[in-house]
Amino acid sequence: MAAVQGGMSDADIETDIKTEPSTDGFGNNNANDGRVLSASPGSGSSTGSNKQTAAVTPEDQQTLLAVLQFLKKNKLIESVEILRREAGLPENSLDPKATESAGAGSGGAAGIVDLEGGDVSSLLSRVTGSSSAGAQAPTKVAEDQPDVRVVLSAYSQQGDPTLYEVYYSDLKKFIETVLDCHRAELSQVFYPLFVHMYLELVYNNHESEAKAFFEKFSGDQECYYEEDLRVLSGLTKKEHMRGNETLLDFRTSKFVLRISRDSYQLLKRHLQERQNNQIWNIIQEHLYIDIFDGMPRSKSQIDAMSGSLAGEAKREANKTKVYYGLLKEPEIELPLDDEDEEAENEEGKPKKKKPKKDSMGSKSKKQDPNAPSQNRIPLPELKDSDKLDKIMYMKEATKRIRLGSDNLPSVCFYTFLNAYQGLTAVDFTDDSSLIAGGFADSTVRVWSVTPKKLRKVKSAADLNLIDKESDDVLERIMDEKTASELKIMYGHSGPVYGISFSPDRNYLLSSSEDGTVRLWSLLTFTCLVAYKGHNYPVWDTQFSPYGYYFVSGGHDRVARLWATDHYQPLRIFSGHLADITCTRFHPNSNYVATGSSDRTIRVWDVLSGNCVRIFTGHKGPIHSLAFSPNGKFLASGATDGRVLLWDIGHGLMVGELKGHTDTIYSLRFSRDGEILASGSMDNTVRLWDAMKAFDDLETDDFTAATGHIHLQDNSQELLLGTYTTKSTPVIHLHFTRRNLLLAAGAFNP
């Protein structure tokens, strides 16, 4: 284990929270260039042209001067000097006479400022809140100036509260009258604008106007925002907004919209002509418009990707190269079975059985060109027991049933009867010999599903009497007196929500409402370590396919990567806007996928800690994830009853499987990747033709500039079978090494 320990514990923890680049008037996503605010639409040249760069510098200078005056008034002299030097302003810039002369010579924007006061004092009065100019209707020219209050407060008053309905109705009327090809794209702005305008009214204590605004327009929003709107409707006073998670989500993250250049220019021109600065300011401050060249997207294409708490993912977020290939397997010779020994030739060379290869292939002996290097992250070395297990796996693989549309797997269902303790999580060992359950009474229970009973290791005194050189020492160390089919482990102080066996079957992980992840020994059936890092309930945990590393995610919106011999996390994956509800390791152990209540899936690089993929499209919290055995695809299931398929390399949604009527709690690919099984709270297990879903993809579509593909509505063609339980929600699925499907759940009388 020495090689593993030095690998990642000392690296810096990185998060995925990055500064949003601003979008200029031409749709270019520019990096932050030091300006405090971008110009409002009416502040460009008087000809109505989109080129606003000529008027930007004087306006920004006025804004900077206002901030400097504000700092000087509050006796923050050092800050004044630092900001003045950074902005490159002359030493006498705060002298009122110098300011007036500079303003007189600058023309353009400076002249507009003079309408309200002639010098910096008008802008300064806005900062200190003494001016009532902000309460006037924004049809006046002066309102086109950048407002410093937006820097100081997210939802400061910027217009007449009685006109909010007029602004929104005007925009709604405009979008409903544009060409059909633009209408679907521009309709995306309704929801984020509605939320921010409502919050702005509430923040500024206009309760009656806010209520009227909500009642009038909340019914126009898309159905998949219903839950968010229900939470929003409870925010009726300024006091309610303090510490509210939903509000914090909207204030700290820009809502991302993907719009074609033509549609964006239409919207911009309309807002400029109407001088609708209330809406333009919200678009500038709280929305990130990802503009692409090409044809506008259709309603179905937009709906397929919409639904997350913060809009769609930016295209740049999915451009990072991902090494999704599998690591090269170690060379292990497969020994002969007893019946094969007679087949040895005179030289004694064994006639080796080779496991069957398949196109979705499990693990390959050759190095995959898309695979990471073997030492990209340190992995534990194989022990002798691991090699023996590999040999067993290879022998089982030779007897594996090849599944397909004409050869479906048998399903063996394990029903937990009288589970009054409340079954919350289930896991099977890789060799399907043990099953573990996490329960709401804070216990972890382990059963043997083979005739071999569970035994503890003997006491230290008894172990000293054993002959350590004997061939059956591993049997001798076990205490037959402790043999039983069930072991119950106590330690958590809250319901157990996540559970995971280690690949070598020596350890078991459990995560709980008590904020800890516990590592249990399956030799002594005792708790070895309690990992404390999460401050709130931990909803899920999972071991790496190679052991040693594991991941956890919970209510604190953060996923953590751990190593069994470190009590502190090695990586902290930060970026989700709501609870992380499920976690999954990539088959090559270099990446971790997390599903969240913010309705997004993120893929994280274990080495750097960076987010390398963001997938949006689900309309409800995500509860299940599964990587295909070849590492190329990811399947996700959520409360919306849909299974979505993703191409990890290209960062695109490639399929949608509809049929379930309730939350999908478990997804599993068969060992050869031909079949995808989904288990749901609707008491059914469904089998899908994964091979056909992925083979039908047009790879040329992936290279399109817009990054959109048209999804086929072929769920019924891909559905191979539906298996219904009497009254048992399916909370876990597992394919054995021979491709028998195991399912588990608690009977619900």
Side-chain angles (χ1 to χ4, degrees), residues 83-90:
L83 181 57
R84 185 186 60 72
R85 284 199 300 271
E86 287 285 332
L89 295 174

Side-chain angles (χ1 to χ4, degrees), residues 173-466:
K173 188 176 178 184
F174 162 71
I175 290 176
E176 284 170 353
T177 55
V178 299
L179 292 173
D180 289 352
C181 62
H182 298 296
R183 189 182 308 147
E185 282 201 324
L186 293 180
S187 296
Q188 295 177 85
V189 303
F190 284 146
Y191 175 68
L193 283 176
F194 169 79
V195 172
H196 286 297
M197 291 175 86
Y198 174 75
L199 290 174
E200 210 166 83
L201 287 169
V202 172
Y203 183 85
N204 291 288
N205 297 312
H206 302 298
E207 291 177 27
S208 56
E209 288 90 345
K211 187 178 179 184
F213 183 79
F214 189 91
E215 287 175 356
K216 184 169 183 181
F217 299 114
S218 61
D220 298 338
Q221 310 308 321
E222 296 285 359
C223 58
Y224 38 79
Y225 294 121
E226 190 177 327
E227 182 62 23
D228 296 342
L229 292 172
R230 189 186 61 76
V231 174
L232 201 63
S233 65
L235 298 173
T236 55
K237 296 180 183 295
K238 188 174 180 178
E239 293 75 32
H240 297 166
M241 298 171 74
R242 294 196 183 105
N244 183 279
E245 290 181 359
T246 306
L247 172 63
L248 287 172
D249 293 339
F250 274 95
R251 289 181 69 169
T252 56
S253 62
K254 289 194 173 186
F255 196 93
V256 180
L257 303 175
R258 201 178 293 176
I259 295 179
S260 67
R261 190 175 300 280
D262 292 345
S263 300
Y264 175 71
Q265 294 294 357
L266 263 179
L267 174 65
K268 190 176 170 202
R269 199 175 304 123
H270 168 76
L271 294 175
Q272 283 179 337
E273 288 169 0
R274 296 300 180 100
Q275 294 195 347
N276 196 338
N277 302 307
Q278 208 65 42
I279 285 178
W280 182 253
N281 284 336
I282 289 174
I283 289 175
Q284 293 283 79
E285 289 302 305
H286 299 293
L287 272 60
Y288 178 95
I289 298 183
D290 189 1
I291 298 168
F292 63 89
D293 293 305
M295 290 289 292
R297 291 186 297 167
S298 66
K299 180 85 167 82
S300 62
Q301 284 178 316
I302 292 168
D303 282 347
M305 304 301 291
S306 300
S308 92
L309 211 52
E312 293 187 44
K314 299 173 199 169
R315 283 172 298 158
E316 286 72 28
N318 292 337
K319 292 285 175 67
T320 311
K321 180 168 176 57
V322 172
Y323 300 99
Y324 57 80
L326 304 180
L327 297 177
K328 189 179 177 184
E329 283 291 300
E331 294 290 336
I332 299 175
E333 284 204 5
L334 184 61
L336 292 173
D337 288 339
D338 294 338
E339 62 268 24
D340 286 341
E341 285 180 4
E342 299 166 10
E344 286 191 30
N345 57 21
E346 293 176 22
E347 288 78 30
K349 291 180 182 174
K351 182 181 173 186
K352 288 190 283 188
K353 278 192 178 182
K354 293 183 181 176
K356 295 173 187 175
K357 299 290 180 198
D358 39 63
S359 51
M360 291 288 284
S362 310
K363 296 180 179 175
S364 169
K365 296 272 184 184
K366 294 179 182 175
Q367 182 68 36
D368 188 328
N370 294 306
S373 60
Q374 291 287 119
N375 56 357
R376 186 171 184 265
I377 62 167
L379 293 170
E381 292 180 11
L382 285 180
K383 303 189 294 286
D384 289 343
S385 57
D386 296 328
K387 290 176 182 174
L388 286 172
D389 197 55
K390 285 276 180 197
I391 290 168
M392 284 300 299
Y393 177 85
M394 290 161 73
K395 283 183 178 179
E396 292 281 332
T398 63
K399 300 169 184 173
R400 181 182 298 160
I401 304 298
R402 184 68 181 266
L403 301 178
S405 55
D406 53 350
N407 190 22
L408 299 182
S410 301
V411 186
C412 175
F413 201 101
Y414 288 89
T415 304
F416 288 73
L417 298 172
N418 305 320
Y420 305 120
Q421 304 88 353
L423 180 70
T424 48
V426 177
D427 194 28
F428 288 92
T429 52
D430 185 66
D431 68 350
S432 313
S433 62
L434 303 176
I435 182 173
F439 290 86
D441 67 353
S442 76
T443 61
V444 177
R445 297 165 189 249
V446 182
W447 286 266
S448 170
V449 291
T450 64
K452 195 175 178 181
K453 293 191 174 179
L454 301 174
R455 299 167 296 171
K456 291 183 183 178
V457 173
K458 290 179 179 176
S459 65
D462 291 339
L463 288 174
N464 284 332
L465 305 174
I466 292 173

Side-chain angles (χ1 to χ4, degrees), residues 23 57 81 104 130 145 167 221 265 285 289 320 337 345 349 432 473 481 509 555 593 613 618 621 674 744:
T23 307
T57 308
E81 282 303 304
S130 61
Q145 297 308 313
Y167 296 142
Q221 310 308 321
Q265 294 294 357
E285 289 302 305
I289 298 183
T320 311
D337 288 339
N345 57 21
K349 291 180 182 174
S432 313
V473 65
K481 296 174 190 170
L509 281 171
H555 178 61
R613 291 289 180 271
H618 277 294
E674 302 254 356

Side-chain angles (χ1 to χ4, degrees), residues 500-576:
S500 177
F501 280 106
S502 65
D504 62 5
R505 303 181 300 286
N506 286 333
Y507 304 103
L508 176 69
L509 281 171
S510 60
S511 63
S512 166
E513 187 258 356
D514 62 16
T516 66
V517 179
R518 287 180 179 262
L519 181 71
W520 307 85
S521 167
L522 297 180
L523 295 174
T524 61
F525 294 97
T526 55
C527 180
L528 302 176
V529 196
Y531 300 96
K532 297 176 181 178
H534 293 275
N535 297 322
Y536 297 98
V538 186
W539 301 128
D540 196 22
T541 186
Q542 205 223 354
F543 256 116
S544 155
Y546 293 90
Y548 185 66
Y549 300 114
F550 64 93
V551 64
S552 62
H555 178 61
D556 58 8
R557 311 173 179 204
V558 170
R560 288 172 165 82
L561 178 80
W562 310 76
T564 49
D565 58 359
H566 288 67
Y567 64 89
Q568 293 286 355
L570 306 181
R571 291 286 181 275
I572 294 180
F573 304 123
S574 172
H576 280 293

Side-chain angles (χ1 to χ4, degrees), residues 105 201 296 636 649 661:
L201 287 169
S636 58
T661 56

Side-chain angles (χ1 to χ4, degrees), residues 626 635 643 645 657 667-669 674-678 686-688 690:
V643 177
L645 305 174
L657 306 175
L667 289 168
R668 279 296 182 278
F669 282 93
E674 302 254 356
I675 302 284
L676 173 64
S678 57
R686 291 175 188 261
L687 300 179
W688 310 88

